[in-house]
Amino acid sequence: MKSLLVSSLCLSFCIPLGFSADAPALRGYSSDSARNEREWEAKFRAIPDPANLRAYMQRMSARPHHVGSPYDKDNAEWLLSKLKEFGLDASIENFYVLFPTPKERALTLLEPRQFTAKLEEPAIAQDPTSSQQGEQLPTYNAYSADGDVTAPLVYVNYGVPADYEELDRLGVSVKGAIAIARYGESWRGIKPKVAAEHGAVGCLIYSDPRDDGYAAGDVFPAGPMRPKDGVQRGSVMDMPVYPGDPLTPGVGATKDAKRLPLNEAVTITKIPVLPISYGDAQPLLEALAGRTVPPAWRGGLPITYHVGPGPAKVHLKLKFNWDLKTLYDVVARIPGGAYPDQWIIRGNHHDGWVNGADDPLSGASALLEEARGLGVLLRQGWKPKRTIVLCFWDGEEPGLLGSTEWAEAHAPELATRAAVYINSDSNARGELQASGSHTLEKFINSVARDIDDPEAKIPLWNRWRFFRISAENPSGAAAPADGADRESARNAADLRIGALGSGSDYTAFIDHLGVASLNLGFGGEDRQGIYHSVYDDFYWYTHFSDSDFVYGRALAQTAGTAVMRLADAELLPFDFDNFTATVGRYVREVENLARDKRDQIVERNRQIDEGLFAAIDDPRFPRIAPSKEMVPPFLNFAPLENGMATLQRAAALYGQAFGKAAGDGAAALARASLRDVNARLISTERALTLNEGLPNRPWFRHQIYAPGFYTGYGVKTLPAVRESIEQKQWKQADEQIVRVGKVLENAGEAIEGAAAELKKAVEGKP
Ligand SMILES: [Zn+2]
């Protein structure tokens, strides 16, 4: 049933490269090698066993395993022994990074009455690991500055730039105040950054029950959501500037690396910041007076939310140990037969904030089971063409430390060798969630067609497609499809994948080194409010998430198949048609953004001139009128359009060369030496980077994808252009359009080069 369905889809949509009666074609494979590959992949997919995944998670989550803890090292050594037991060549690579831990934490409400925050997550009787207080990291935000401040409190909603515009209208300033923001909407590190930009002297971040507590579902241990005293730990390092060790930007944090003095590490926050539970937040918020908040700012606590400032006055004192800690990256290598210096890299972190069962062991267990599966195949005689590098990263939670330092330390060899990086992290039940480089969009669609969904018993791809068509949205995880999305999902040969921002270990690979990357996982069905708390543990995961580990097995099957298919292909399966169409959409988006921004400013200036704001103001609840702004110039998008034209021409040329190579059972692929074509394909993603990076953040070199400077995890595509427009830097926007246009032309030339090389190879010319 399944193979019939897959074949008929492929007949109508796929290029018939090496199509044979028994199996659809594999992009980049001659028909003989495709048949062979499919046999090995089928053997591989039969190997992962949910019972193993469960045992791995139980073992690695048995004790807290954060950076610098004894059990973090213990887990790394255990992973190493397992990889060796699977027959793989593995080792541990150490780095030495700044990792602050709390020495002193105090939060007190001084006025109008006294309240001392608990700052503790209590043990829960039926949850055995929640009582390991002696080994747990206290609740805190890593890379908060030290500080001792007493100041009035101001509620700033999610604490994103738009919230401060609203505060301006309300006539409220955070200057000299402590801002209290709720988790959500942006990555947490953005909140203290924006608060400090507006003059706040301290910042509190609390988990509002509306977002992941009792308003969203039953709380732990009755349900999966955040209990009253649950706290979300997490890093507040300014990762949109650069992730990794704050003391060694751009270089690996080896023992003798040159380190910045602490006071020059710009990614540490400017003000002290502390995360708190809603149990601790309620008395503080209740003590605020002043204006009631705009409706969109209301949370789920049984109080009237006020903005402040005052009369609530708060004392916040934080002191940290600013120590270097050792990281344990565990890395296994399977040498390639034909192309040993082309690497397919696969990674997941192993460190957690506390017991970290969901984050990260649900993903790390899948990776370990993939490693076992590959070990079994090797013993049966399988030999990949390319080298496979399997990585268990340490120190992801504090700031992508283990992956970033490894990528920086190995940058010279990765520059020529790294073909693709595939990442995973937390895993749950639901649809396949794939995002990454659009040169790999077609590829990951092909993988998803060959793996079954454990619940729906249909190929992952089919369920993924139905989720895209459906307006139903069981968990709120995915946006409901609008008409255009629905039709595109229904009719397109390939489902669109999202672009990568940040928030996991792919960041250094794609953003810094320009390695084509994918992030894979399942989700959408399980709600959770235990993120980065002591309750993210084996008890929680086996009661409220993928409790029978069948989606863990599906992740091992999906990522493992992707790794094998990339490692064994004669021709790397990059595709430039989907990529070019996607970049074309981004170009139209930034053009529309500039026009809309301009229109909005013109309209608002007109309203100010007309006296609109004074006329409609409510004198009992007055709001301050905005001030007039300079009308932005029209921007010249011609360089981007010209870049797109080059890219489109190059993609068409590659399509032609590929079509020729794919004809006739793709026999030419088996004959030709494709070493140089593959090397050129690898270089196409590098062509999307600039050495000088993005404006004001040179570490981020990719010019198509980057995490937003003011979103943190959320992606900004064509970031240099888009953020210049968003931040109303019109002159810079004009300059960046020229630079990015040139990047598109460079990429076009790189793709054209690959097309010419492929043509030459399959025609057998020297
Ligand atoms: Zn994680």
Side-chain angles (χ1 to χ4, degrees):
M1 184 61 208
K2 181 204 139 197
S3 63
L4 253 180
L5 191 57
V6 171
S7 301
S8 65
L9 280 167
C10 246
L11 275 174
S12 44
F13 294 129
C14 301
I15 296 170
L17 162 55
F19 183 82
S20 62
D22 54 344
L26 282 182
R27 190 178 169 90
Y29 284 79
S30 62
S31 35
D32 282 350
S33 56
R35 202 170 303 118
N36 200 23
E37 172 68 12
R38 285 198 177 277
E39 281 172 22
W40 282 117
E41 287 182 7
K43 278 184 198 161
F44 170 79
R45 287 196 289 272
I47 296 169
D49 181 348
N52 287 337
L53 294 166
R54 185 186 170 90
Y56 301 156
M57 179 186 281
Q58 188 161 24
R59 145 71 215 184
M60 291 193 281
S61 67
R63 288 167 55 187
H65 54 98
H66 51 273
V67 170
S69 67
Y71 207 62
D72 175 74
K73 178 167 184 261
D74 197 81
N75 271 344
E77 286 164 354
W78 179 80
L79 282 164
L80 180 68
S81 72
K82 292 304 279 184
L83 293 167
K84 287 183 172 167
E85 181 191 316
F86 301 155
L88 304 180
D89 169 21
S91 59
I92 289 181
E93 192 165 341
N94 296 121
F95 294 100
Y96 307 88
V97 295
L98 180 72
F99 178 59
T101 52
K103 212 171 353 187
E104 221 181 312
R105 302 171 305 143
L107 173 65
T108 325
L109 178 69
L110 303 171
E111 293 172 19
R113 53 195 179 77
Q114 283 270 341
F115 165 77
T116 301
K118 193 150 96 179
L119 312 180
E120 301 279 354
E121 297 182 289
I124 286 175
Q126 56 267 62
D127 176 357
T129 60
S130 65
S131 61
Q132 298 168 331
Q133 270 100 351
E135 292 178 59
Q136 294 166 355
L137 270 179
T139 54
Y140 79 114
N141 286 132
Y143 307 100
S144 157
D146 287 328
D148 185 349
V149 290
T150 301
L153 196 64
V154 174
Y155 176 62
V156 298
N157 192 30
Y158 291 109
V160 298
D163 294 323
Y164 287 88
E165 284 171 28
E166 182 60 28
L167 286 173
D168 285 345
R169 299 285 318 272
L170 298 174
V172 174
S173 165
V174 296
K175 217 180 187 105
I178 293 174
I180 181 167
R182 51 176 165 159
Y183 267 115
E185 287 295 302
S186 74
W187 175 63
R188 77 182 77 72
I190 301 303
K191 299 165 196 283
K193 166 162 143 175
V194 179
E197 284 176 2
H198 287 81
V201 296
C203 183
L204 302 171
I205 313 176
Y206 81 103
S207 300
D208 195 284
R210 200 195 74 133
D211 298 317
D212 68 358
Y214 54 73
D218 291 320
V219 304
F220 190 65
M225 304 313 291
R226 197 175 298 275
K228 178 173 139 274
D229 296 314
V231 179
Q232 181 189 143
R233 289 160 191 74
S235 177
V236 287
M237 177 197 286
D238 198 355
M239 279 189 267
V241 175
Y242 62 86
D245 177 24
L247 303 183
T248 61
V251 298
T254 51
K255 205 148 229 169
D256 48 6
K258 201 164 163 274
R259 286 179 165 76
L260 295 174
L262 191 57
N263 62 5
E264 285 176 28
V266 297
T267 56
I268 295 168
T269 65
K270 307 287 179 284
I271 55 175
V273 48
L274 185 70
I276 58 175
S277 66
Y278 55 88
D280 277 340
Q282 184 168 338
L284 307 184
L285 291 168
E286 236 167 351
L288 280 173
R291 296 283 287 266
T292 56
V293 301
W297 289 33
R298 287 176 203 143
L301 288 168
I303 59 169
T304 303
Y305 285 69
H306 292 88
V307 177
K313 194 170 165 192
V314 164
H315 175 223
L316 172 66
K317 186 174 183 194
L318 297 174
K319 259 179 114 166
F320 300 94
N321 302 298
W322 294 93
D323 296 339
L324 291 191
K325 293 275 157 64
T326 306
L327 294 182
Y328 301 85
D329 284 346
V330 190
V331 181
R333 269 164 227 270
I334 302 170
Y339 303 122
D341 48 9
Q342 293 177 1
W343 295 359
I344 308 301
I345 308 167
R346 165 84 178 95
N348 196 109
H349 70 101
H350 70 78
D351 68 301
W353 271 117
V354 194
N355 297 78
D358 174 53
D359 183 5
L361 299 178
S362 55
S365 303
L367 174 53
L368 188 57
E369 193 63 349
E370 287 165 53
R372 186 177 75 84
L374 297 180
V376 171
L377 296 196
L378 287 167
R379 282 197 298 280
Q380 294 175 359
W382 171 68
K383 176 90 184 162
K385 285 198 173 61
R386 294 184 179 77
T387 294
I388 295 172
V389 185
L390 304 173
C391 310
F392 293 86
W393 308 118
D394 198 358
E396 188 270 357
E397 293 296 359
L400 317 178
L401 303 173
S403 56
T404 302
E405 298 313 318
W406 190 86
E408 290 174 345
H410 296 282
E413 50 182 338
L414 291 171
T416 54
R417 295 180 179 186
V420 174
Y421 175 71
I422 297 181
N423 190 70
S424 60
D425 200 323
S426 304
N427 193 56
R429 296 178 312 122
E431 64 170 324
L432 176 65
Q433 296 176 337
S435 40
S437 301
H438 289 84
T439 49
L440 294 170
E441 184 175 88
K442 195 174 271 304
F443 168 74
I444 198 61
N445 270 265
S446 83
V447 173
R449 286 186 172 95
D450 292 338
I451 292 146
D452 276 335
D453 183 280
E455 287 172 346
K457 318 281 186 213
I458 53 175
L460 293 180
W461 189 87
N462 299 40
R463 194 172 195 219
W464 180 13
R465 175 169 169 271
F466 282 129
F467 272 116
R468 289 296 164 89
I469 294 170
S470 169
E472 273 185 37
N473 189 10
S475 71
D482 68 19
D485 286 347
R486 191 179 306 134
E487 281 319 296
S488 132
R490 193 169 265 140
N491 301 322
D494 302 309
L495 296 167
R496 285 182 194 162
I497 61 171
L500 286 173
S502 185
S504 196
D505 291 305
Y506 48 78
T507 308
F509 292 95
I510 185 160
D511 293 332
H512 188 57
L513 299 179
V515 177
S517 299
L518 286 171
N519 189 53
L520 302 176
F522 291 88
E525 291 180 332
D526 298 315
R527 300 295 325 257
Q528 60 117 316
I530 47 71
Y531 177 60
H532 291 183
S533 77
V534 298
Y535 312 117
D536 176 0
D537 57 19
F538 189 70
Y539 179 90
W540 181 90
Y541 196 85
T542 51
H543 283 78
F544 300 110
S545 191
D546 179 27
S547 47
D548 50 8
F549 294 86
V550 290
Y551 277 95
R553 174 175 59 192
L555 177 59
Q557 291 170 329
T558 308
T561 299
V563 165
M564 288 177 69
R565 200 170 284 188
L566 288 164
D568 291 339
E570 281 139 333
L571 181 67
L572 282 167
F574 290 103
D575 154 75
F576 303 104
D577 292 332
N578 291 14
F579 169 74
T580 301
T582 300
V583 176
R585 270 198 301 281
Y586 297 157
V587 169
R588 285 196 297 282
E589 280 173 21
V590 294
E591 289 174 353
N592 291 341
L593 177 69
R595 198 190 50 233
D596 293 349
K597 259 283 175 317
R598 189 177 191 284
D599 289 351
Q600 280 162 15
I601 291 173
V602 168
E603 170 63 21
R604 200 158 70 174
N605 283 353
R606 191 170 165 198
Q607 293 173 355
I608 293 165
D609 286 341
E610 288 167 342
L612 175 147
F613 290 95
I616 66 166
D617 202 39
D618 176 347
R620 285 194 202 163
F621 303 101
R623 294 171 85 222
I624 294 165
S627 32
K628 276 180 81 166
E629 275 183 68
M630 185 195 93
V631 175
F634 288 103
L635 298 174
N636 173 19
F637 284 97
L640 275 184
E641 300 283 359
N642 288 329
M644 274 311 299
T646 309
L647 206 52
Q648 279 156 352
R649 193 181 60 234
L653 283 172
Y654 189 81
Q656 283 163 20
F658 183 81
K660 259 217 169 92
D664 211 12
L669 292 185
R671 276 196 319 268
S673 164
L674 298 171
R675 178 178 303 276
D676 294 341
V677 190
N678 283 316
R680 278 181 186 266
L681 286 170
I682 290 172
S683 76
T684 56
E685 194 82 19
R686 311 287 193 274
L688 297 168
T689 65
L690 286 174
N691 275 339
E692 63 271 33
L694 296 176
N696 308 318
R697 40 181 185 147
W699 189 91
F700 284 89
R701 294 184 185 148
H702 209 289
Q703 299 296 313
I704 308 294
Y705 316 111
F709 192 76
Y710 285 110
T711 57
Y713 282 173
V715 66
K716 295 289 174 181
T717 54
L718 303 177
V721 176
R722 191 183 298 267
E723 293 196 317
S724 297
I725 296 169
E726 286 176 348
Q727 293 163 21
K728 302 177 186 172
Q729 305 284 325
W730 309 111
K731 192 168 159 290
Q732 181 178 291
D734 248 333
E735 293 160 5
Q736 296 304 320
I737 289 170
V738 175
R739 283 173 76 245
V740 178
K742 184 83 188 97
V743 168
L744 298 185
E745 284 182 26
N746 293 345
E749 281 159 24
I751 294 165
E752 222 177 296
E757 199 70 46
L758 176 58
K759 194 158 173 267
K760 211 165 74 187
V762 298
E763 286 169 359
K765 287 181 190 152

